[in-house]
Amino acid sequence: MHDHSHGHDHSHHFDTHNRSFAIAVLLNILFVVIEAVYGVISGSLALLADAGHNLSDVMGLIMAWAASWLASKAATYAKTYGLKKTTILAALFNALILIAAVGGITWEAIQRLTDPADVAGLTVVIVAGIGVLINGATMMLFLKGQKGDINIRGAFLHMAADTAVSVGVVISGTILMFTSLTWIDPIVSLVIAVVIFVGTWQLLKDSVNLAVDAVPKGIDPSAVHERLESLPGVQSAHHLHIWALSTTENALTVHLVKPDPESDDQVISEATEMLNEHFGIQHTTIQWERGDDQCPTDAHCGSLTH
C-alpha cells in the first residue's frame, strides 16, 4: 500500500479569519450592551429580547471561531486528522441555531398579528439603525471567506440575518411612528424569517452532508473515478471514498489495479497533483493491486464505493 498525504499550511487562512472573528465578537458584544442599556432606559421589551438574541449570535460566532482555531492544531497519534472536523460541527450547530431563530421570529410575528405591539419609539429605531451598521460591517468581514468554507458561511449568515432583522425594525418602526399600520411590523418580520430560512437551508444541508462523510459539494465522484482510471498503467479503480476532513479540506482513498509496478511513485505523484488541482482533494491514499483477482470478494468491488 502506498499512502500519499500532503501536509498543508493553513496558518494564513486561520490568521485572516482570526482577526475577523475577534473584531466581530467585540463589535457584537458592544451592540448587546447598547441594546440592553437602551432597552432598560426606553422600557422596550423588544430591545431587551433582541439583546438576548444577539448574545446568542455572539455565542455562535465564538463557536465558529473556536472551531477555526481547533482546526489549525496539529494532528496527534490519538487524533490523526487533528480537530479539523470541528469546523463542520460548528457549521451544523450554527445552521440549527439559525433555524431555531427563524422559529422564534415567526412565532413572535404571529403573536403580534393577533395582538399588535405599541408603536415603536424613536429610541428603538435609532438603536436598530446602529445594529444595521454593526451587523452589516461584521457581515462584510466574512463575505469573501464564506464562499469556500461553510463554517465561515455560518458566521456570515448569522450576521446577515441580524442585519436583515435590524433593517426590518428600522423600516417598520419608522412607518409605525407616522401611521397606525400596526400589521407592518409582524409582516416585515415574517418576510425576514422566510429570507433567513431560505439562506440557512442550504447551509444546513451542506453541513449535515459533511458531518455524515458524504462526498463534498462540487466534487463529482464519477469524474474522479474516470480520471483515476485514465492514469498511466491503471486498469481499473474501485473502493473509492471521498469525504471532508474539515470545511476546507477533503480526503480520498482508492484501490487502483496496476499490474506493472514500474513508475508507481510517478503515478502517485500525478494522481495526487491531479486530484488537488481539479477536484480540491488535498489528502490522498492509494492502494495498489496487481490484478483484478486480488480484489476482495465483494459484490460492490467494481463500484465507486462500498
Side-chain angles (χ1 to χ4, degrees), residues 225-304:
H225 185 261
E226 185 178 335
R227 291 296 293 268
L228 287 170
E229 289 196 328
S230 70
L231 291 167
V234 173
Q235 289 185 348
S236 64
H238 52 259
H239 291 345
L240 173 61
H241 299 276
I242 307 168
W243 73 100
L245 295 178
S246 72
T247 52
T248 58
E249 295 179 69
N250 303 311
L252 171 149
T253 61
V254 66
H255 291 198
L256 297 181
V257 177
K258 182 174 177 289
D260 186 357
E262 188 73 25
S263 72
D264 276 358
D265 290 344
Q266 182 181 339
V267 174
I268 282 183
S269 179
E270 184 178 334
T272 302
E273 184 178 346
M274 175 271 293
L275 291 167
N276 188 14
E277 181 179 348
H278 293 281
F279 300 101
I281 299 172
Q282 299 86 358
H283 300 263
T284 303
T285 302
I286 294 174
Q287 177 173 318
W288 296 124
E289 291 177 5
R290 299 309 176 191
D292 287 315
D293 59 325
Q294 293 188 19
C295 178
T297 303
D298 191 303
H300 303 284
C301 193
S303 65
L304 293 180

Side-chain angles (χ1 to χ4, degrees), residues 157-238:
L157 286 176
H158 259 295
M159 294 302 98
D162 283 352
T163 303
V165 170
S166 296
V167 169
V169 171
V170 171
I171 293 172
S172 59
T174 302
I175 293 173
L176 285 170
M177 284 173 62
F178 300 102
T179 72
S180 59
L181 303 175
T182 55
W183 52 267
I184 284 290
D185 183 61
I187 292 300
V188 170
S189 295
L190 286 172
V191 171
I192 290 170
V194 171
V195 171
I196 295 173
F197 180 80
V198 170
T200 304
W201 184 247
Q202 190 61 49
L203 173 67
L204 181 63
K205 284 172 59 180
D206 290 346
S207 55
V208 167
N209 279 338
L210 295 187
V212 298
D213 288 339
V215 175
K217 186 179 179 181
I219 298 178
D220 180 358
S222 297
V224 173
H225 185 261
E226 185 178 335
R227 291 296 293 268
L228 287 170
E229 289 196 328
S230 70
L231 291 167
V234 173
Q235 289 185 348
S236 64
H238 52 259

